[in-house]
Amino acid sequence: MRPVGPVKAVLFDRDGTLVHDVPYNGDPERVRPVEGAREAVALLRARDIRVGVVTNQSGVARGLISGTDVRRVNRRIDDLLGPFDVWAICPHGPDDGCHCRKPQPGLVLWAAGRVCTDPADCVVVGDIGADTEAAARAGAHGILVPNARTRPEETEAAAHTAPDLLTAVRSLLDDPALDGPAPDAPHDGGARSGQRPATTAPAPSGGAPDPCRRPS
Protein backbone atom coordinates (compact mmCIF):
# COMPACT_ATOMS: atom_id res chain seq x y z
CA MET A 1 0.00 0.00 0.00
CA ARG A 2 1.31 3.42 -0.93
CA PRO A 3 2.25 5.85 1.83
CA VAL A 4 -0.36 8.35 2.89
CA GLY A 5 -0.17 11.93 2.22
CA PRO A 6 -0.69 14.64 2.21
CA VAL A 7 -3.52 13.98 4.63
CA LYS A 8 -6.82 14.81 2.97
CA ALA A 9 -9.31 13.90 5.70
CA VAL A 10 -9.32 13.35 9.44
CA LEU A 11 -12.10 11.26 10.97
CA PHE A 12 -12.63 11.61 14.70
CA ASP A 13 -14.22 9.28 17.16
CA ARG A 14 -16.88 11.21 19.08
CA ASP A 15 -17.16 10.28 22.75
CA GLY A 16 -13.91 10.46 24.67
CA THR A 17 -12.10 12.01 21.69
CA LEU A 18 -13.93 15.15 20.51
CA VAL A 19 -16.18 15.49 23.56
CA HIS A 20 -16.05 14.17 27.09
CA ASP A 21 -17.56 10.72 27.31
CA VAL A 22 -21.05 10.67 28.85
CA PRO A 23 -22.25 7.07 28.47
CA TYR A 24 -25.28 6.78 26.19
CA ASN A 25 -25.75 10.52 26.16
CA GLY A 26 -28.98 11.79 24.62
CA ASP A 27 -28.89 15.26 26.15
CA PRO A 28 -27.24 18.03 24.08
CA GLU A 29 -26.80 20.11 27.24
CA ARG A 30 -24.31 17.56 28.55
CA VAL A 31 -21.96 17.93 25.56
CA ARG A 32 -18.56 19.29 26.56
CA PRO A 33 -15.70 19.43 24.02
CA VAL A 34 -12.36 18.13 25.25
CA GLU A 35 -9.59 20.62 25.74
CA GLY A 36 -8.06 21.71 22.45
CA ALA A 37 -10.88 20.28 20.29
CA ARG A 38 -11.93 23.61 18.77
CA GLU A 39 -8.37 24.57 17.89
CA ALA A 40 -7.56 21.12 16.53
CA VAL A 41 -10.53 21.09 14.15
CA ALA A 42 -9.88 24.71 13.13
CA LEU A 43 -6.26 23.86 12.24
CA LEU A 44 -7.45 21.16 9.86
CA ARG A 45 -10.01 23.39 8.20
CA ALA A 46 -7.36 26.08 7.74
CA ARG A 47 -5.35 23.51 5.72
CA ASP A 48 -8.44 22.59 3.67
CA ILE A 49 -8.49 19.10 5.20
CA ARG A 50 -11.92 17.48 5.40
CA VAL A 51 -13.15 16.59 8.89
CA GLY A 52 -15.67 13.99 9.95
CA VAL A 53 -16.93 11.89 12.83
CA VAL A 54 -17.17 8.08 12.98
CA THR A 55 -18.95 6.88 16.09
CA ASN A 56 -20.48 3.73 17.57
CA GLN A 57 -23.78 4.46 19.31
CA SER A 58 -24.91 1.12 20.68
CA GLY A 59 -27.25 2.87 23.11
CA VAL A 60 -29.75 2.92 20.22
CA ALA A 61 -29.67 -0.87 19.90
CA ARG A 62 -29.85 -1.22 23.69
CA GLY A 63 -32.95 0.98 23.85
CA LEU A 64 -31.24 3.54 26.07
CA ILE A 65 -31.34 6.40 23.56
CA SER A 66 -33.10 6.97 20.26
CA GLY A 67 -31.77 7.87 16.86
CA THR A 68 -33.30 11.31 17.39
CA ASP A 69 -31.31 11.68 20.62
CA VAL A 70 -28.10 10.87 18.74
CA ARG A 71 -28.87 13.44 16.06
CA ARG A 72 -29.65 16.11 18.65
CA VAL A 73 -26.30 15.52 20.37
CA ASN A 74 -24.51 15.53 17.02
CA ARG A 75 -26.12 18.83 16.08
CA ARG A 76 -24.88 20.31 19.35
CA ILE A 77 -21.36 19.13 18.54
CA ASP A 78 -21.70 20.68 15.10
CA ASP A 79 -22.76 23.93 16.76
CA LEU A 80 -19.74 23.89 19.07
CA LEU A 81 -17.04 22.46 16.79
CA GLY A 82 -18.45 22.05 13.32
CA PRO A 83 -19.94 21.82 10.94
CA PHE A 84 -18.28 18.53 10.10
CA ASP A 85 -18.12 17.37 6.49
CA VAL A 86 -19.46 13.92 7.30
CA TRP A 87 -21.09 12.07 10.17
CA ALA A 88 -21.10 8.27 10.18
CA ILE A 89 -22.95 6.55 13.02
CA CYS A 90 -23.37 2.86 13.82
CA PRO A 91 -26.46 2.28 16.01
CA HIS A 92 -25.88 -1.45 16.40
CA GLY A 93 -24.86 -3.48 19.44
CA PRO A 94 -21.68 -5.52 19.78
CA ASP A 95 -23.50 -8.79 19.05
CA ASP A 96 -25.44 -7.59 16.00
CA GLY A 97 -22.76 -8.68 13.53
CA CYS A 98 -22.83 -5.48 11.51
CA HIS A 99 -19.96 -4.34 9.29
CA CYS A 100 -20.01 -0.69 10.32
CA ARG A 101 -19.43 -1.00 14.06
CA LYS A 102 -15.81 -0.28 14.93
CA PRO A 103 -13.42 -2.15 14.95
CA GLN A 104 -14.97 -3.20 11.63
CA PRO A 105 -13.97 -0.79 8.84
CA GLY A 106 -17.40 0.10 7.48
CA LEU A 107 -17.75 3.52 9.09
CA VAL A 108 -14.28 4.60 8.01
CA LEU A 109 -14.75 3.37 4.44
CA TRP A 110 -18.16 4.98 4.11
CA ALA A 111 -17.02 8.32 5.57
CA ALA A 112 -13.94 8.38 3.34
CA GLY A 113 -16.17 7.80 0.33
CA ARG A 114 -18.51 10.61 1.35
CA VAL A 115 -15.62 13.09 1.34
CA CYS A 116 -14.21 11.57 -1.87
CA THR A 117 -10.93 10.56 -0.25
CA ASP A 118 -8.93 7.36 -0.52
CA PRO A 119 -8.76 5.71 2.92
CA ALA A 120 -4.94 5.74 2.61
CA ASP A 121 -5.15 9.54 2.72
CA CYS A 122 -7.31 9.52 5.86
CA VAL A 123 -6.33 9.59 9.52
CA VAL A 124 -8.65 8.25 12.22
CA VAL A 125 -8.22 9.75 15.70
CA GLY A 126 -9.72 7.88 18.63
CA ASP A 127 -9.31 6.91 22.25
CA ILE A 128 -9.59 3.12 22.18
CA GLY A 129 -8.14 0.25 20.22
CA ALA A 130 -11.33 -0.26 18.21
CA ASP A 131 -10.76 3.13 16.58
CA THR A 132 -7.23 2.43 15.41
CA GLU A 133 -8.13 -1.14 14.44
CA ALA A 134 -10.97 0.13 12.25
CA ALA A 135 -8.51 2.52 10.63
CA ALA A 136 -6.04 -0.27 9.91
CA ARG A 137 -8.71 -2.56 8.47
CA ALA A 138 -9.87 0.22 6.18
CA GLY A 139 -6.34 0.98 5.01
CA ALA A 140 -6.24 4.32 6.82
CA HIS A 141 -3.89 5.62 9.51
CA GLY A 142 -4.80 5.75 13.17
CA ILE A 143 -3.71 7.93 16.06
CA LEU A 144 -4.64 6.89 19.59
CA VAL A 145 -5.23 9.61 22.18
CA PRO A 146 -5.45 7.61 25.43
CA ASN A 147 -7.66 8.58 28.33
CA ALA A 148 -8.88 6.91 31.52
CA ARG A 149 -10.85 4.23 29.67
CA THR A 150 -8.04 3.28 27.27
CA ARG A 151 -6.57 -0.08 28.23
CA PRO A 152 -2.77 -0.22 28.61
CA GLU A 153 -2.52 -2.96 26.00
CA GLU A 154 -4.34 -0.73 23.49
CA THR A 155 -1.81 2.03 24.02
CA GLU A 156 1.07 -0.41 23.67
CA ALA A 157 -0.34 -1.83 20.44
CA ALA A 158 -1.00 1.54 18.80
CA ALA A 159 1.41 2.50 16.02
CA HIS A 160 0.91 6.20 16.77
CA THR A 161 -0.18 7.88 20.00
CA ALA A 162 -0.53 11.45 21.24
CA PRO A 163 -1.10 12.81 24.74
CA ASP A 164 -4.03 15.00 23.66
CA LEU A 165 -6.17 15.86 20.67
CA LEU A 166 -4.39 19.07 19.71
CA THR A 167 -0.98 17.38 19.79
CA ALA A 168 -2.37 14.58 17.60
CA VAL A 169 -3.53 17.02 14.95
CA ARG A 170 -0.35 19.06 15.06
CA SER A 171 1.73 15.90 14.68
CA LEU A 172 -0.05 14.79 11.54
CA LEU A 173 0.19 18.28 10.04
CA ASP A 174 3.91 18.40 10.79
CA ASP A 175 4.46 14.86 9.50
CA PRO A 176 1.68 13.94 7.07
CA ALA A 177 3.36 10.65 6.16
CA LEU A 178 3.13 9.56 9.80
CA ASP A 179 6.52 7.90 9.44
CA GLY A 180 5.52 5.42 6.81
CA PRO A 181 2.75 3.64 4.94
CA ALA A 182 -0.60 2.67 6.35
CA PRO A 183 -0.86 -0.94 7.61
CA ASP A 184 -1.18 -3.42 4.76
CA ALA A 185 -4.75 -4.40 5.55
CA PRO A 186 -7.47 -5.34 3.07
CA HIS A 187 -10.52 -3.16 2.61
CA ASP A 188 -12.79 -5.72 4.23
CA GLY A 189 -16.13 -5.77 5.97
CA GLY A 190 -18.21 -2.91 4.57
CA ALA A 191 -16.23 -2.92 1.34
CA ARG A 192 -17.12 -6.54 0.60
CA SER A 193 -20.70 -6.43 1.74
CA GLY A 194 -21.52 -3.01 0.33
CA GLN A 195 -23.35 -2.29 3.58
CA ARG A 196 -23.55 1.36 4.58
CA PRO A 197 -23.78 2.56 8.14
CA ALA A 198 -27.42 2.25 9.08
CA THR A 199 -27.70 5.76 10.48
CA THR A 200 -26.10 8.97 9.30
CA ALA A 201 -26.81 12.43 10.61
CA PRO A 202 -28.21 14.88 8.05
CA ALA A 203 -26.22 17.81 6.77
CA PRO A 204 -26.62 20.75 9.17
CA SER A 205 -28.59 22.65 6.55
CA GLY A 206 -31.02 19.76 6.14
CA GLY A 207 -30.19 19.58 2.44
CA ALA A 208 -28.38 16.95 0.41
CA PRO A 209 -25.34 18.64 -1.17
CA ASP A 210 -22.98 16.78 -3.45
CA PRO A 211 -20.53 15.22 -0.94
CA CYS A 212 -17.66 15.45 -3.42
CA ARG A 213 -18.00 19.15 -4.11
CA ARG A 214 -16.82 21.91 -1.85
CA PRO A 215 -19.03 25.01 -1.53
CA SER A 216 -17.78 27.77 -3.83
Side-chain angles (χ1 to χ4, degrees):
M1 181 172 292
R2 66 181 176 82
V4 71
V7 174
K8 295 181 180 177
V10 176
L11 306 173
F12 296 95
D13 172 57
R14 196 188 83 173
D15 304 309
T17 301
L18 277 177
V19 298
H20 290 284
D21 186 18
V22 178
Y24 309 119
N25 183 30
D27 182 0
E29 295 303 316
R30 301 184 72 187
V31 172
R32 296 290 182 272
V34 302
E35 185 175 356
R38 290 182 181 88
E39 186 176 353
V41 176
L43 282 174
L44 294 170
R45 291 198 188 96
R47 298 285 190 93
D48 204 33
I49 294 172
R50 308 302 289 269
V51 290
V53 181
V54 288
T55 177
N56 291 346
Q57 294 296 323
S58 67
V60 176
R62 301 172 196 269
L64 300 173
I65 53 176
S66 68
T68 299
D69 292 330
V70 173
R71 289 189 290 273
R72 290 173 62 234
V73 168
N74 292 347
R75 282 196 293 269
R76 178 59 176 163
I77 296 172
D78 257 341
D79 290 342
L80 294 171
L81 302 175
F84 288 90
D85 296 304
V86 61
W87 282 87
I89 300 101
C90 174
H92 302 115
D95 299 322
D96 289 345
C98 79
H99 296 290
C100 55
R101 178 178 169 83
K102 295 177 291 185
Q104 295 298 323
L107 286 183
V108 176
L109 292 171
W110 189 86
R114 288 290 291 178
V115 294
C116 304
T117 302
D118 191 294
D121 296 325
C122 293
V123 175
V124 178
V125 182
D127 65 322
I128 62 173
D131 299 315
T132 53
E133 184 175 344
R137 290 184 178 191
H141 290 262
I143 299 179
L144 186 74
V145 181
N147 57 31
R149 73 172 185 151
T150 311
R151 297 195 301 268
E153 57 267 30
E154 293 174 325
T155 303
E156 293 172 5
H160 304 283
T161 63
D164 56 66
L165 189 63
L166 186 54
T167 301
V169 167
R170 284 174 171 163
S171 71
L172 69 90
L173 292 177
D174 291 340
D175 184 9
L178 289 178
D179 298 322
D184 188 10
H187 291 193
D188 60 359
R192 283 200 305 265
S193 68
Q195 180 175 341
R196 297 169 45 146
T199 305
T200 55
S205 64
D210 180 352
C212 298
R213 182 176 180 181
R214 285 254 193 208
S216 59

